[in-house]
Amino acid sequence: MRVNMRNTIALTVAAITISAAAACSNPNTNTSDVELDKLDVGNYQTMPVAAETFQTSESGALREAINIGSHTPLPFEYDHRFEFGNYFGYRQHVTRGEPPDGFDNTGVDAENFNAEIPGLVAGWQTFGQRRFEPDFGRHIKTYTLRFETASAATNAVHRISERAAGENYPIADQPNTITKVTPGVFYGGTMESWTSHHEMLLYIKVGDPVSRPYEAAESASIAKKFFDKQLAMLNDYEPTSLAEISKLQLDIDNLLAHTLPSDDGRIKSAVYPARVALSLSKYTKLMSNAFTDAGVDYHTSGGLSRVWRARDAAAAERLSTALRSGSLDLIGLRPSDTHPPGLPSAKCYEVDPTDPSYANIPPQCFITVGRFAARIGGANMQDTHQRTAAQYKLLTLLK
């Protein structure tokens, strides 16, 4: 089944605007009528875990990567056409333990990056697309990577760029960039550009699958806007000293301790400032409007449980409405008549049996507790209900 994304997105915007306004007039902020002791939480935890539970040898580097992400522009901020983000859910944080894997066709990947390109500290990757589906318009990928020294960053630029295919192409007013263009035969073309700024490597790739002939000047214009915006934002970036990075705490304001953790050890649990949370979204511009309205400052992810902290309880209600009203993330699901026992305010969604193309999407429930909005998934509806009840109890303990 092919979804008409243009119409669906237009309806999504309208639904969010109308339903958020309705939520504003009738916020459900009372949790006193919920009998917490009678909620069915299965075997899931309902008490916050100690901060050291989340700390690993890579936690400090992950926190620094998120710090860099906070000072990395969202694509729509320098080109309003790129409203969509991480379509495939690729990893965006970069650390020495999880190095970049996106320098295509250079022979430098996550397997050999540290050996070939020494000195990496941490960084952030972003994605931007003009259309929801990536092959229907131009798309962007950027890296903002910190190295131990400025010379290491400069070395990285040269060692990676010299292995990349393509013809050199100058970008106006960016004399220190190295840029290569590869026109496609059956594909429009690709532009890649690198530069260094103190200890930072900056990189952008602009793919254009639709232009015939390929418009290198247009891609160069996008790359220039990225560099200009990124350099300006780095003026406010305060790098953590190398000696202190390992001491950085992953949790902020006990938010992660009160987010139901994943039972999959491969999933990274973290606290993301609103800007970084938007970078992780497929619908960057759409969610930016919702975040601004709700005053979101932090988002936590524990795998199948995600929590957003809004300005106040009424704002959390509006955000929860925005997250589920016409959400493209709920394609393949339908509203369920059931809810976790004892938690009638939860809004749950079950797999739609009439849409088998999305059969692997887990059921979802949405809840609000005070200024917090949460979205919880599970293996099946009973599991989702139990996880939701456990997450609800955890959030009642968070002030």
Side-chain angles (χ1 to χ4, degrees):
M1 182 184 105
R2 177 169 291 279
V3 177
N4 187 323
M5 289 300 171
R6 183 182 298 275
N7 291 340
T8 303
I9 291 163
L11 290 172
T12 299
V13 175
I16 286 176
T17 302
I18 295 170
S19 53
C24 181
S25 64
N26 185 29
N28 175 20
T29 62
N30 184 14
T31 61
S32 62
D33 56 345
V34 176
E35 297 184 68
L36 297 178
D37 292 340
K38 293 185 178 181
L39 294 179
D40 177 13
V41 300
N43 294 319
Y44 293 108
Q45 70 179 62
T46 58
M47 295 298 292
V49 299
E52 55 267 21
T53 304
F54 305 107
Q55 293 299 116
T56 69
S57 59
E58 282 285 296
S59 294
L62 176 56
R63 171 52 54 198
E64 185 64 11
I66 294 171
N67 185 22
I68 293 170
S70 296
H71 296 84
T72 299
L74 301 167
F76 74 81
E77 292 179 317
Y78 53 87
D79 193 314
H80 67 90
R81 298 172 296 178
F82 292 87
E83 297 187 2
F84 301 97
N86 192 349
Y87 180 85
F88 293 106
Y90 291 131
R91 169 174 61 87
Q92 293 183 236
H93 64 270
V94 174
T95 65
R96 192 170 295 174
E98 295 181 283
D101 56 5
F103 291 112
D104 305 323
N105 304 316
T106 63
V108 179
D109 55 26
E111 296 276 332
N112 64 2
F113 188 93
N114 292 323
E116 297 287 338
I117 314 295
L120 177 68
V121 175
W124 195 257
Q125 181 176 199
T126 67
F127 298 91
Q129 297 176 183
R130 286 200 62 184
R131 305 285 184 260
F132 176 75
E133 295 179 336
D135 291 334
F136 290 179
R138 287 190 183 90
H139 45 83
I140 293 169
K141 174 172 69 179
T142 73
Y143 277 118
T144 303
L145 305 179
R146 178 185 169 189
F147 286 80
E148 292 178 349
T149 64
S151 60
T154 301
N155 175 66
V157 167
H158 288 284
R159 295 197 66 176
I160 297 172
S161 64
E162 68 187 8
R163 301 181 183 203
E167 302 177 358
N168 291 329
Y169 188 97
I171 295 182
D173 302 321
Q174 295 288 341
N176 297 321
T177 61
I178 297 174
T179 304
K180 292 187 175 181
V181 169
T182 307
V185 177
F186 302 105
Y187 182 94
T190 300
M191 172 174 287
E192 296 180 274
S193 190
W194 302 257
T195 193
S196 60
H197 177 71
H198 302 308
E199 293 84 17
M200 311 297 290
L201 176 152
L202 311 181
Y203 165 82
I204 183 169
K205 178 179 181 179
V206 183
D208 182 356
V210 295
S211 296
R212 305 288 192 279
Y214 174 62
E215 301 173 357
E218 176 61 21
S219 293
S221 172
I222 296 168
K224 181 183 183 305
K225 286 186 282 189
F226 162 68
F227 287 129
D228 288 344
K229 183 69 173 178
Q230 179 62 91
L231 290 170
M233 291 185 66
L234 285 175
N235 289 331
D236 295 324
Y237 167 59
E238 297 182 4
T240 306
S241 69
L242 296 177
E244 295 296 316
I245 286 179
S246 63
K247 302 176 185 178
L248 293 175
Q249 295 295 304
L250 200 54
D251 202 357
I252 295 175
D253 293 349
N254 288 318
L255 294 173
L256 199 54
H258 290 79
T259 300
L260 193 66
S262 171
D263 46 16
D264 184 345
R266 297 170 300 175
I267 294 178
K268 295 287 187 182
S269 297
V271 181
Y272 301 96
R275 164 178 290 280
V276 186
L278 288 173
S279 178
L280 297 169
S281 173
K282 294 179 185 178
Y283 320 104
T284 316
K285 184 64 171 68
L286 184 65
M287 292 315 303
S288 175
N289 297 335
F291 275 29
T292 299
D293 171 70
V296 174
D297 60 355
Y298 285 111
H299 162 63
T300 67
S301 175
L304 289 175
S305 191
R306 289 174 279 176
V307 176
W308 294 263
R309 186 169 74 178
R311 181 185 303 109
D312 52 36
E317 285 291 335
R318 295 198 304 274
L319 177 65
S320 184
T321 301
L323 290 170
R324 68 179 188 272
S325 295
S327 172
L328 297 176
D329 274 342
L330 296 178
I331 292 174
L333 299 176
R334 66 183 184 185
S336 173
D337 293 332
T338 66
H339 54 74
L343 202 57
S345 61
K347 305 295 190 298
C348 297
Y349 295 78
E350 62 189 8
V351 175
D352 185 349
T354 66
D355 193 355
S357 59
Y358 293 93
N360 293 326
I361 295 178
Q364 304 284 317
C365 287
F366 295 80
I367 57 173
T368 58
V369 182
R371 66 185 293 200
F372 300 97
R375 173 177 180 167
I376 305 96
N380 51 53
M381 188 55 79
Q382 180 183 15
D383 181 55
T384 302
H385 284 173
Q386 291 177 338
R387 288 175 183 264
T388 300
Q391 182 62 80
Y392 188 94
K393 292 188 73 171
L394 278 166
L395 290 176
T396 62
L397 301 174
L398 191 58
K399 304 300 182 183

